[in-house]
Amino acid sequence: MTQLPEIVLTPSAAARVAAIARKTGKPAILRLAVEGGGCAGFSYRFGLADEVEAEDLATERDGVTLVVDEMTHDLVRGGEVDFVESLGGAAFQVRNPNAASGCGCGSSFSV
């Protein structure tokens, strides 16, 4: 595992991951992955991980670990993972300075 200072996990996102981990009995490890597809070319995928893999890049906040693979890191470097609650619902969001455009759903982007 390599430390990942170029991606920030906000306090709101860390608190939400910690709450989900407590409810599910899983470790407080959030995996962010970028996959091909979605309406703009790439899409974000979030999930709780059981462990940090040796090849993962990771950052921590308030006892919660955010992990990404190398390809994802290249696409979201300098970004921020947040948890946002609004009238429209609640979701994890990536603020990605590398995204040239996004779509209305907020979970798809292009570079």
Side-chain angles (χ1 to χ4, degrees), residues 1 26-31 48-54 56 65 67:
M1 174 184 79
K26 290 191 160 216
I29 304 169
L30 178 66
R31 180 170 299 282
L48 287 183
D50 292 323
E51 62 185 19
V52 177
E53 304 290 334
D56 283 336
T65 303
V67 296

Side-chain angles (χ1 to χ4, degrees), residues 19-36:
I20 293 168
R22 275 192 303 275
K23 286 182 183 179
T24 61
K26 290 191 160 216
I29 304 169
L30 178 66
R31 180 170 299 282
L32 167 61
V34 171
E35 300 176 332

Side-chain angles (χ1 to χ4, degrees), residues 2-78:
T2 304
Q3 284 299 92
L4 183 65
E6 298 98 351
I7 299 175
V8 175
L9 184 65
T10 68
S12 175
R16 184 62 177 169
V17 171
I20 293 168
R22 275 192 303 275
K23 286 182 183 179
T24 61
K26 290 191 160 216
I29 304 169
L30 178 66
R31 180 170 299 282
L32 167 61
V34 171
E35 300 176 332
C39 33
F42 292 102
S43 61
Y44 301 111
R45 183 175 48 92
F46 293 98
L48 287 183
D50 292 323
E51 62 185 19
V52 177
E53 304 290 334
E55 66 276 0
D56 283 336
L57 303 171
T59 189
E60 187 197 332
R61 175 176 291 247
D62 302 331
V64 174
T65 303
L66 171 67
V67 296
V68 299
D69 59 53
E70 232 176 287
M71 184 200 72
T72 297
H73 178 249
D74 288 343
L75 293 169
V76 300
R77 184 185 315 240

